[in-house]
């Protein structure tokens, strides 16, 4: 495809789609197009949706995206990046989030893209951060990022999104009490989905209690605590209930971000993160190219046979 | 990062059996491909939109309802209108030989009947889609 950057600026969706593929494949043409488009990024409101597998993230995104488009007279546009895990064995993936996003398929203001993690462990796709840049350049007002079903350590989304929703649900088997500390800490808004089912009230109460303990323990966050209290909201994505309240809370959080300076801070963290990752990859690749023939493999071999420890091995290399 | 083959597996029409579609989706995943699975009862419009937004290399249509002669041409027409007329499209289902021939004439790359080994679909896709 020719001149992808200018076609994207003109609103060509096929060009955008093509760029997303290039970015995922770390293709140099994709990087060149992003160079051209980068100045257009930084305007979208990025919302992360994370939480355990099966809690209803995709079903909720289906409702949320439509709600966010607002009035048909002055519609807002919404992009969705839906992430599912790659198989560690084959490297392939089944990306099934679209099954629950039927209502978004033919909405003129909504664009949905599925992505596989491709080896990344933090709950996002390897190139998620750059894919979001491309979607921003596509002119979307909102970018919703659905992570893989997350337990507790897949918290990279917090460094990408302005606002992170953690979606829990009653009856997922594992007791909600089983402190999913990591994942609760990143919540700006806690959603108890499947409120149509038994146990939703209990789940909401125990989550609210856990949040309070967490907030007390994290003395560092006192200041934020004063200005933003993480709300616990009940929704039924299935029955389209509680979505208005959720959107209202999202808008409140945005106001909080903007008035507190957090908006800018979070927007920057995301770029810092991306740049640091790229730099690390580049330096490592260059360094490896420059070290003596086979020395790297040799030293790995010595570690394998327990001749030297990994720390001792480090000393044999110079930056 | 090596290029991955991305395939959309879709079930147009009204029949509610997606076992075949799921079997092929899993087989393609196990062969290292990324499969976008969209579920039951997709309209041709939904399929074409998904193909565009996902920038897939191939589209597999699973059709058991007997409506293939109306659904398939419609999907092809929409793909073309979207600038994706060159996509590799294949069809699985119970398709009479005569219809299979007509579908191939329309540009369908392959038609698979029930019982086709998934290894054949994989081999065909790899051959058709391998970078020149
Ligand atoms: N009863 C009830 N079921 C729901 C609700 N929301 C989603 N579900 C069902 O829960 C199941 C999982 O929903 P998904 O939206 O696929 O969940 P997910 O969190 O995206 O799952 P992964 O992407 O696999 O992590 C589906 O069968 C949904 O129909 C709800 O509000 N109430
Ligand atoms: Mg999902």
């Amino acid at each position: 495809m020719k001149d992808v950057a200018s076609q994207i600026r003109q609103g060509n969706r096929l060009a955008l789609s093509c760029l997303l593929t290039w970015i995922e494949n770390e293709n140099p043409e994709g990087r060149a197009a992003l160079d051209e488009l980068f100045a257009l990024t930084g305007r979208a409101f990025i919302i992360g949706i994370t939480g355990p597998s099966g809690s209803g993230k995709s079903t909720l995104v289906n409702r949320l995206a439509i709600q966010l488009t607002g009035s048909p007279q002055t519609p807002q546009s919404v992009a969705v990046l839906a992430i599912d895990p790659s198989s560690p064995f084959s490297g392939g993936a089944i990306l099934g989030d679209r099954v629950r996003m039927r209502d978004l398929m033919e909405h003129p203001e909504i664009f949905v893209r599925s992505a596989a993690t491709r080896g990344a462990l933090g709950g996002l796709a390897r190139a998620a951060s750059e894919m979001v840049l491309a979607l921003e350049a596509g002119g979307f007002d909102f970018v919703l990022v659905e992570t893989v079903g997350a337990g507790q350590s897949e918290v990279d989304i917090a460094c990408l999104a302005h606002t992170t929703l953690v979606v829990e649900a009653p009856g997922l088997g594992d007791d909600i009490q089983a402190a999913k500390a990591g994942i609760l800490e990143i919540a700006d808004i806690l959603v108890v989905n499947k409120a149509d089912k038994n146990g939703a009230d209990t789940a909401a109460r125990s989550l609210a209690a856990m949040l309070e303990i967490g907030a007390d323990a994290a003395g560092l966050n006192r200041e934020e605590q004063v200005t933003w209290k993480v709300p616990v909201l009940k929704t039924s994505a299935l029955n389209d209930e509680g979505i208005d309240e959720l959107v209202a809370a999202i808008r409140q959080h945005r106001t909080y971000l903007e008035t507190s300076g957090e908006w800018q801070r979070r927007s920057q963290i995301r770029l810092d993160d991306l740049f640091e990752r790229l730099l690390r990859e580049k330096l490592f690749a260059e360094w490896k190219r420059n070290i003596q023939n086979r020395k790297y493999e040799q030293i790995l071999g010595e570690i394998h046979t327990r001749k030297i420890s990994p720390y001792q091995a480090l000393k044999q290399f110079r930056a | 990062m090596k290029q991955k083959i991305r395939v959309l597996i879709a079930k147009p029409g009204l029949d509610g059996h997606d076992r075949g579609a799921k079997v092929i989706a899993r087989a393609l995943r196990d062969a290292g491909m990324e499969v976008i699975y969209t579920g039951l009862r997709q309209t041709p419009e939904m399929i074409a939109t998904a193909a565009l937004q996902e920038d897939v290399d191939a589209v597999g249509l699973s059709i058991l309802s007997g409506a293939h002669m109306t659904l398939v041409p419609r999907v092809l027409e929409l793909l073309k209108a979207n600038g994706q007329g060159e996509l590799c499209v294949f069809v699985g289902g119970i398709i009479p030989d005569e219809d299979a021939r007509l579908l191939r004439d329309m540009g369908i790359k392959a038609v698979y009947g029930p019982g086709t080994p998934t290894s054949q679909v994989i081999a065909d896709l790899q051959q058709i889609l391998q970078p020149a």
Side-chain angles (χ1 to χ4, degrees), chain A residues 61-116:
Chain A
V61 165
N62 184 57
R63 302 291 186 190
L64 202 52
I66 292 207
Q67 198 77 352
L68 288 171
T69 58
S71 81
Q73 288 78 42
T74 52
Q76 303 268 85
S77 56
V78 180
V80 175
L81 181 62
I83 300 162
D84 274 320
S86 298
S87 155
F89 305 107
S90 70
I94 292 183
L95 310 174
D97 290 318
R98 285 185 98 97
V99 174
R100 308 275 167 218
M101 299 185 190
R102 283 183 79 86
D103 300 325
L104 311 186
M105 293 304 109
E106 289 173 79
H107 197 297
E109 301 299 331
I110 299 177
F111 183 97
V112 179
R113 177 66 172 233
S114 315

Side-chain angles (χ1 to χ4, degrees), chain A residues 193-213:
Chain A
N193 188 40
K194 308 197 185 182
D196 52 285
K197 288 177 82 169
N198 282 337
D201 286 323
T202 321
R205 267 196 304 276
S206 58
L207 283 169
M210 283 173 69
L211 275 180
E212 263 168 42
I213 297 170

Side-chain angles (χ1 to χ4, degrees), chain A residues 17 21 95 98 102 114, chain B residues 29 35 40-41 52 54-55:
Chain A
S17 192
T21 306
L95 310 174
R98 285 185 98 97
R102 283 183 79 86
S114 315
Chain B
R29 175 201 58 193
V35 181
L40 291 169
R41 299 195 180 84
L52 182 142
E54 301 290 353
D55 189 31

Side-chain angles (χ1 to χ4, degrees), chain A residues 51-60 83-84 97 100 146-149 193-197 235-239:
Chain A
S53 197
S55 62
K57 296 182 291 298
S58 302
T59 316
L60 193 64
I83 300 162
D84 274 320
D97 290 318
R100 308 275 167 218
E146 180 188 336
T147 73
V148 304
N193 188 40
K194 308 197 185 182
D196 52 285
K197 288 177 82 169
T235 61
S236 170
L238 200 65
N239 301 336

